Amino acid sequence: MKLTELRVNQVETPMGFQITPLSFSWKVVEAGEAKRQKWAGIRIWRNAGQEKEKIFDSGQDENADSLDYQVSLDLAPRTRYTWQVQVTADNGETARAESWFETGKGQEAWSGHWITADMGADTPAVLQRRFTVAGLEGVRKAAGAVASRLYICGLGMYEVYLNGEKVGSEYLAPGYHSYDFHLQAQTYDVTEYLREGENEIRIWLGDGWFRGRLGFDGGYTNLYGDRCYAIAELYVGEEPVPVVMTDADWESKESPVVFSNIYDGEVYDANLEAALQVSEGWKGVRTEIPDRCGDLCDRYSLPIVKKETFPVAEVIHTPKNETVLDFGQELTGWVEFTGCLPRGMQIRLTASEIMQDGCFYHENLRTAKTEFTYISDGKERTVRPHFTFYGFRYMKVEYLDQDGAPLETASEFWALPAAAFTAYHLRSDFDQIGEIRTGSDKVNRLFLNALWGQKDNFLDVPTDCPQRDERLGWTGDAQIFSETACYNMYMPAFYRKYLWDMRAEQSILGGSVPNVVPRLKEGMVAEHGSCPWADAGVVIPWNVYLHYGSKMLLRECYPGMRDWVECERRREEALGGPHLIKDGFHFADWLALDNEQPGPFGATDPLYIASAYYYRCAKSVAEAAAVLGYEEDRKKFDGLAEKILAAIQEKYFDQEGLCICHTQTGAALAIAFGLIPERAGTKLEGAALRARVEANDMHLNTGFVGTTILSQALTATGSHETAVSLLLGEDFPGWLYSVNLGATTIWERWDSVLPDGRISPEGMNSLNHYSYGSIEAWMYRDVCGIRPGEAGYRRAVIEPHVDARLKFAEGRLNTSAGLFKSGWEYADDGTVTYRVEVPFNAEAEFVLEGERRILPAGNYAFVHKEKSRQ
C-alpha cells in the first residue's frame, strides 16, 4: 500500500499560494488485498531551522476524508510546514507519507514599494538593484528552513533574473486575473541563484493583459493601468527583514524587449542587451501605487509552464517562395531557436493555424499580427519570446536586413536549419487524468483534438481561443466544456482562481455573471447576464464539486452560485412572474445550424433555454446548500426550483407533455434537464428527438447548448445507436468531418474549413475553439460508462453502452478517489466482455441492461450477450 498525490488545497507542495481555508487530500495506490480505509491521521509541524514544532495531530480519525480533510490553523507568513498522513486499511496494513506546504506573505505588510521606471510609459523597461549577501553557506545548511525566498509581483507581465539567470520555470507571470480586485504575488526559491558577496537582481516588464490591447476591433489598452510596475522582497534565511526590496534606490533602463503584445507578438533587439551590462545610462524609478488595482495577495493561479515540446515535422516551401515550419499539432505557446545570425540581421516568425492553396495564411486571426521578430547582435544564442504567446501549427520564417527589408534568398551560410527550431506548448500547470481509446482511429483522433482544445485554451483562464484578437475568458464556452474539462484534467485549483475572479466581478453587478471573466470594463465584452454564459456561475462550481468532492471549494463558491440565482429571481419577479425568464439578450444555442434566418443564433426559443437554465441553477444551488448544511437555503431554492419547473411545463410543453420547441436542442434540453411533465415520460420526447435527427439525414444541427447534451439525451432515452451514428458522422455537420480534413483541435464552427481545405467565408473561424469538444463528457459517461455516483467518486456509477461499430472502448479516469477503469470489447458473435477496475476505499455501482450490482475495490470481468439498444 502506497500513498501518493499529497495535496494542500488541491496543489502538490504549494509555495506562496492562497492557503486558507486549509484542506488536505491524498490517494492510496498499490493497495493489494486492502479494500477500505479503517482510519487515517494527519500531523502538521511548523519548521524552524533544523527544528520542527508539532502544531496539529488528528489522532486516529475513522471519518478522515481523503478527498477534503479540513484543518483550522493560524498560519504564520513566509513559513514552511511539514505534514504527514498515515492510513490504516481494513486488513491492518498501514502506509505513511510526508509532504510540505509553505505560506507566502499572507496578511503581513509589505516592506517593498511599488516602483515604475522613470521613463515614458510606453518604453519597455528593465528594473535593477545590486545588493550584498553574507553567510550563504550557513543558510544552505539549515535543513528544513525557508532558505531564501523572493516575493514578487509585476504588472503587466514580468520575468526576474538573479545574477543573470532567470528565476523559476514559470512564464507570463503573474498571469491574467481581475487586477482591479486583486493582484497575485508569486513566491520563488532563490537559494541556488544567490552568491556570496555582491548580487544583482533585474525585473523585466511587459504590458501583458494589464495594459496591452484586449478586445475586438483594435481592442482597448491601459485597461488596468497606463504604466508597468513591480514590487518585490527578497529574504535570506530566516532573517525577519528583506535583504533587498523594491524602493527608490532601484534603477531602470530600456528593455531589449522593445515591443510586446498578447495579440501582435514581440520584437526583441539583442543589441540592447549590451547596454544593460554597463553602469552608464541607468535612470531612476518612481514609487507609486497602481491606482486602479485591488490589494496584493498570495497567488491563486497555477503557474504557466512549458508542458510539451514539438520538433519541426515538415519544412514547407510554398508557391509564393515562403518557408513555413509545420509542427504537426496546433498548440499554444511559442517557438524557440538556437543559432547565430549576422549582427543587425532580423528573423521574423509569423504564426498561423492553416495553409491555403499550399501557402501561408493567417487572415482568420483578424487584426492579430502574431509575430516574433529577433534582431541579432551577431552572437550564438537560444532565442525565445518573453511576454506573449501564440496559437499555431505553422510558423513562417523570414529573414530581414538591418532596415527590416525582406531578404529574397536565405544564404546557406547563416540560414538556420529546421533542427534549430522547437515549439513549446505552454499552459497552466495541471495534468491529464482521463483517457479514452476505441476501435476507431478517427474517434481516437477526435478525442485528442478535444483534449488539445483544452490544453491550448486553459492558460490561466479558460479562453475561447488562443490565437486571434480575442483570447478572453468567455463564460459560456467555459460552462459548456466544464464537465469534459473535469474528466480530462485535474482542474480544481485552476477553477478556484477563475471562480474567485467571477465572484469578484459579480460583486459589482448585483450577482450577475459577466460574459467574459476577467471582465473587460469596455465595449460589448463588458455585458453580463446572458444565458447560458452567466449560468457558468453555478454550473462550473457544481461540476467541480461533483468530480473532485471538495466541500471547502464548494463552500468558497457558494455565495456566487446563490447570488446569480437571486439575481435572476429578482429580475423575473420584477416583471411579474411566473418564475420564467422573459427578457434580456441571450446567446442561447449559439452557432446552431437550425435557424432559417442568417446569423449565429439558433432556432430554439432563447427564453425557453434561459428558463431551463434558471431551473437547473436553482436546483443545483439547493443541492449545494444541502451538502453544506444550509437548511434554510435548501428549502428556499428547492421551492424556487419547483415553481420554475411548473412554469416551464405550463408554457413550453403541450397537452401530451412534449416540448413545443420542435428542435433537436429543445428536446435534448427537456430530457437532460428533467423538464418533462410526469404525464409524458422521457421516451416520447426521446422518440421525437431521434426522429428529428433522422429527418435531418442523421445529422445534428445544434449549437453551443444542444451539442453538449444531445448525445447524452439520445442515450438516456434508448437511442444510443443514434448517438453513436452522430459520433461517426464524417460529412458536414459531423464530428469526424474536421478529423477527415486533418484537424488537430476543435473548430469554432462545424464548417470552419470547407471540403476543399479553404477557410469558410462566413467569418469568425477559429480552428482552436474547445466548446464542441464537450462530446467527450458523453464518451466518458455513456460510452465507457464512468460517472460520479457521489461527489469525488467515492462511489462511481459504471454504466457502459456498447456499439459494434466502435469494436471496443477503454476509459481510464484517475479520480480524486483513485483510478477507475471501464472498458468493453465486442466479439463477432455479439458477446461483449466488460472490464472494470475500482480503486481502494471506493465502490462502483455497475449497471448492465437495468441490472445493478455493487463492486468494492478490485478488478472485474463480465461476459454478456448484448441485446439491441434501439
Side-chain angles (χ1 to χ4, degrees):
M1 193 165 73
K2 181 180 177 182
L3 302 183
T4 66
E5 298 178 45
L6 276 65
R7 294 187 174 109
V8 178
N9 289 12
Q10 312 297 336
V11 179
E12 293 188 58
T13 60
M15 185 166 66
F17 277 75
Q18 186 65 242
I19 213 74
T20 53
L22 185 62
S23 172
F24 299 89
S25 58
W26 61 91
K27 291 183 187 178
V28 175
V29 297
E30 301 174 14
E33 297 300 316
K35 302 296 183 185
R36 309 289 297 185
Q37 176 180 291
K38 182 178 181 182
W39 60 263
I42 293 280
R43 296 177 179 179
I44 306 172
W45 294 266
R46 175 177 173 173
N47 295 22
Q50 297 183 8
E51 302 297 325
K52 292 183 179 179
E53 173 193 2
K54 186 189 293 186
I55 60 172
F56 179 82
D57 190 339
S58 69
Q60 298 181 4
D61 188 346
E62 296 181 356
N63 298 312
D65 183 0
S66 64
L67 307 181
D68 181 20
Y69 193 93
Q70 298 179 40
V71 175
S72 179
L73 288 174
D74 290 327
L75 300 174
R78 299 185 292 106
T79 302
R80 172 73 67 95
Y81 293 87
T82 299
W83 67 285
Q84 182 188 89
V85 58
Q86 180 175 330
V87 174
T88 295
D90 50 1
N91 66 348
E93 190 173 351
T94 294
R96 182 183 296 114
E98 189 171 281
S99 187
W100 59 265
F101 64 95
E102 189 176 306
T103 55
K105 289 282 291 181
Q107 299 301 310
E108 182 182 61
W110 282 73
S111 303
H113 302 273
W114 284 104
I115 59 173
T116 184
D118 194 9
M119 295 185 288
D122 294 327
T123 302
V126 174
L127 310 177
Q128 174 183 274
R129 183 78 155 84
R130 291 187 173 86
F131 61 98
T132 301
V133 174
L136 271 181
E137 190 63 30
V139 170
R140 289 171 178 157
K141 288 182 177 179
V146 175
S148 298
R149 297 291 182 263
L150 176 67
Y151 305 92
I152 183 172
C153 181
L155 303 172
M157 292 182 188
Y158 73 90
E159 289 185 358
V160 61
Y161 294 80
L162 269 171
N163 299 316
E165 292 187 63
K166 180 186 176 299
V167 172
S169 59
E170 182 171 357
Y171 298 93
L172 309 180
Y176 183 24
H177 45 278
S178 296
Y179 303 104
D180 47 344
F181 287 100
H182 65 155
L183 302 175
Q184 298 188 73
Q186 288 70 49
T187 302
Y188 297 102
D189 182 350
V190 294
T191 308
E192 299 306 314
Y193 300 95
L194 293 173
R195 59 193 181 202
E196 191 77 13
E198 186 172 303
N199 290 260
E200 174 189 83
I201 182 171
R202 287 178 176 165
I203 303 171
W204 295 43
L205 295 173
D207 290 353
W209 298 275
F210 181 75
R211 66 179 297 264
R213 77 178 178 106
L214 286 177
F216 306 120
D217 301 322
Y220 303 91
T221 58
N222 300 329
L223 283 168
Y224 299 99
D226 56 7
R227 302 186 65 85
C228 291
Y229 300 87
I231 189 170
E233 297 176 0
L234 194 156
Y235 292 79
V236 174
E238 296 188 304
E239 291 297 321
V241 296
V243 66
V244 66
M245 61 185 177
T246 46
D247 56 22
D249 293 332
W250 282 57
E251 301 173 302
S252 63
K253 188 174 278 193
E254 183 180 358
S255 172
V257 181
V258 297
F259 170 83
S260 65
N261 181 283
I262 295 296
Y263 297 156
D264 298 319
E266 184 170 306
V267 177
Y268 188 92
D269 188 348
N271 296 281
L272 295 179
E273 286 190 25
L276 298 179
Q277 309 310 318
V278 299
S279 57
E280 292 80 14
W282 286 89
K283 299 181 180 180
V285 298
R286 304 203 309 256
T287 59
E288 61 181 54
I289 299 173
D291 60 1
R292 282 180 268 163
C293 297
D295 293 335
L296 194 59
C297 67
D298 292 334
R299 70 186 305 161
Y300 285 89
S301 291
L302 293 170
I304 298 168
V305 296
K306 296 176 178 178
K307 297 295 290 188
E308 299 180 47
T309 62
F310 292 84
V312 174
E314 182 183 3
V315 179
I316 303 171
H317 299 287
T318 77
K320 293 182 179 180
N321 199 31
E322 302 159 315
T323 299
V324 179
L325 307 179
D326 177 5
F327 290 94
Q329 170 65 53
E330 183 146 355
L331 64 135
T332 296
W334 58 48
V335 170
E336 301 184 12
F337 58 87
T338 300
C340 180
L341 297 176
R343 182 182 180 87
M345 181 173 289
Q346 303 180 33
I347 181 172
R348 181 167 64 204
L349 305 181
T350 308
S352 78
E353 300 184 287
I354 191 171
M355 304 286 282
Q356 297 282 262
D357 301 320
C359 295
F360 183 80
Y361 174 91
H362 77 157
E363 279 70 20
N364 65 312
L365 307 188
R366 301 191 297 218
T367 67
K369 293 172 67 177
T370 64
E371 296 177 350
F372 175 64
T373 301
Y374 168 72
I375 305 171
S376 175
D377 62 353
K379 297 179 181 179
E380 176 86 12
R381 290 178 176 274
T382 295
V383 177
R384 65 169 173 85
H386 297 74
F387 302 125
T388 191
F389 62 94
Y390 310 85
F392 67 98
R393 172 174 172 170
Y394 303 95
M395 281 283 182
K396 180 173 66 174
V397 183
E398 298 173 278
Y399 295 95
L400 316 172
D401 65 22
Q402 59 186 3
D403 297 319
L407 298 171
E408 293 298 326
T409 58
S411 165
E412 292 183 3
F413 178 72
W414 47 258
L416 301 177
F421 297 89
T422 302
Y424 288 88
H425 164 57
L426 274 70
R427 71 168 185 266
S428 294
D429 193 11
F430 53 76
D431 292 316
Q432 186 174 347
I433 60 171
E435 181 182 14
I436 292 173
R437 287 197 321 112
T438 74
S440 166
D441 290 341
K442 291 182 179 180
V443 170
N444 295 341
R445 181 66 250 185
L446 174 66
F447 175 84
L448 291 176
N449 289 0
L451 183 70
W452 269 103
Q454 180 176 356
K455 288 180 178 181
D456 288 343
N457 279 291
F458 281 53
L459 188 146
D460 210 36
V461 301
T463 58
D464 58 322
C465 60
Q467 77 296 81
R468 70 186 181 202
D469 56 353
E470 199 163 349
R471 314 188 197 186
L472 302 173
W474 287 97
T475 48
D477 304 60
Q479 180 265 120
I480 286 159
F481 194 77
S482 60
E483 183 181 16
T484 291
C486 290
Y487 272 118
N488 279 338
M489 303 281 187
Y490 192 74
M491 300 306 299
F494 178 91
Y495 277 129
R496 185 189 187 202
K497 174 265 177 185
Y498 184 62
L499 294 168
W500 194 103
D501 283 339
M502 189 179 293
R503 293 193 303 278
E505 303 288 2
Q506 286 181 265
S507 70
I508 58 173
L509 296 172
S512 185
V513 178
N515 295 342
V516 168
V517 172
R519 174 174 166 251
L520 277 63
K521 309 303 191 289
E522 303 276 355
M524 181 269 285
V525 288
E527 295 169 358
H528 54 91
S530 175
C531 170
W533 272 231
D535 301 290
V538 173
V539 175
I540 295 177
W542 187 241
N543 274 336
V544 170
Y545 172 67
L546 290 178
H547 278 265
Y548 307 111
S550 172
K551 291 184 181 179
M552 181 210 82
L553 187 51
L554 182 65
R555 184 174 291 107
E556 197 170 78
C557 293
Y558 181 80
M561 299 170 68
R562 179 197 60 213
D563 288 352
W564 165 235
V565 174
E566 285 283 79
C567 174
E568 288 202 287
R569 181 190 60 78
R570 289 192 301 270
R571 188 169 69 184
E572 58 92 354
E573 288 183 353
L575 294 174
H579 300 296
L580 295 173
I581 302 302
K582 297 177 288 298
D583 70 348
F585 167 78
H586 301 286
F587 288 101
D589 201 24
W590 182 250
L591 295 184
L593 302 172
D594 57 358
N595 197 335
E596 295 179 359
Q597 302 299 318
F601 298 98
T604 309
D605 184 345
L607 297 181
Y608 163 64
I609 295 175
S611 296
Y613 267 94
Y614 181 27
Y615 165 69
R616 179 186 179 183
C617 289
K619 195 169 185 296
S620 294
V621 170
E623 292 173 332
V627 169
L628 298 173
Y630 303 154
E631 183 60 20
E632 289 188 13
D633 273 10
R634 183 198 64 78
K635 293 178 181 178
K636 174 182 177 179
F637 289 104
D638 260 341
L640 176 60
E642 289 176 4
K643 292 175 183 177
I644 298 168
L645 179 59
I648 289 172
Q649 292 174 344
E650 176 69 23
K651 182 174 179 63
Y652 292 107
F653 288 79
D654 62 21
Q655 293 300 313
E656 294 182 349
L658 282 170
C659 178
I660 64 173
C661 296
H662 297 156
T663 62
Q664 292 180 12
T665 293
L669 203 58
I671 295 164
F673 282 20
L675 307 178
I676 300 170
E678 291 182 5
R679 63 181 181 274
T682 59
K683 289 291 184 182
L684 196 61
E685 194 72 59
L689 175 59
R690 186 175 70 219
R692 287 171 199 155
V693 173
E694 292 171 348
N696 199 39
D697 195 26
M698 292 303 289
H699 290 88
L700 50 77
N701 56 21
T702 50
F704 270 36
V705 170
T707 301
T708 308
I709 55 176
L710 177 61
S711 298
Q712 293 181 22
L714 286 166
T715 297
T717 52
S719 296
H720 183 69
E721 290 179 21
T722 302
V724 175
S725 294
L726 289 177
L727 175 70
L728 297 176
E730 299 202 22
D731 58 345
F732 166 78
W735 292 109
L736 302 184
Y737 170 79
S738 62
V739 172
N740 287 339
L741 287 173
T744 62
T745 44
I746 300 295
W747 297 343
E748 185 171 13
R749 295 178 182 267
W750 292 108
D751 60 345
S752 283
V753 179
L754 303 179
D756 62 4
R758 298 188 63 80
I759 284 280
S760 169
E762 287 290 328
M764 208 170 74
N765 282 302
S766 158
L767 302 186
N768 203 345
H769 254 66
Y770 59 85
S771 300
Y772 289 151
S774 56
I775 184 68
E776 287 192 350
W778 168 77
M779 294 171 70
Y780 281 107
R781 288 172 55 93
D782 291 315
V783 176
C784 297
I786 308 173
R787 67 179 188 268
E790 293 178 2
Y793 290 90
R794 182 70 71 222
R795 181 174 67 85
V797 176
I798 307 292
E799 187 175 6
H801 296 77
V802 306
D803 192 292
R805 290 169 291 179
L806 291 176
K807 301 177 184 176
F808 71 88
E810 298 173 349
R812 294 168 50 92
L813 188 62
N814 189 15
T815 73
S816 294
L819 178 63
F820 282 90
K821 297 181 184 178
S822 175
W824 52 264
E825 185 170 8
Y826 218 101
D828 291 340
D829 63 357
T831 59
V832 180
T833 300
Y834 297 85
R835 289 184 172 83
V836 176
E837 181 175 326
V838 183
F840 174 84
N841 206 37
E843 66 180 24
E845 181 183 355
F846 183 67
V847 183
L848 188 58
E849 293 192 347
E851 181 184 346
R852 299 173 181 268
R853 66 189 83 180
I854 301 299
L855 306 180
N859 295 282
Y860 303 89
F862 306 96
V863 180
H864 188 76
K865 184 73 173 180
E866 197 69 15
K867 299 177 183 177
S868 173
R869 286 284 178 178
Q870 189 162 297

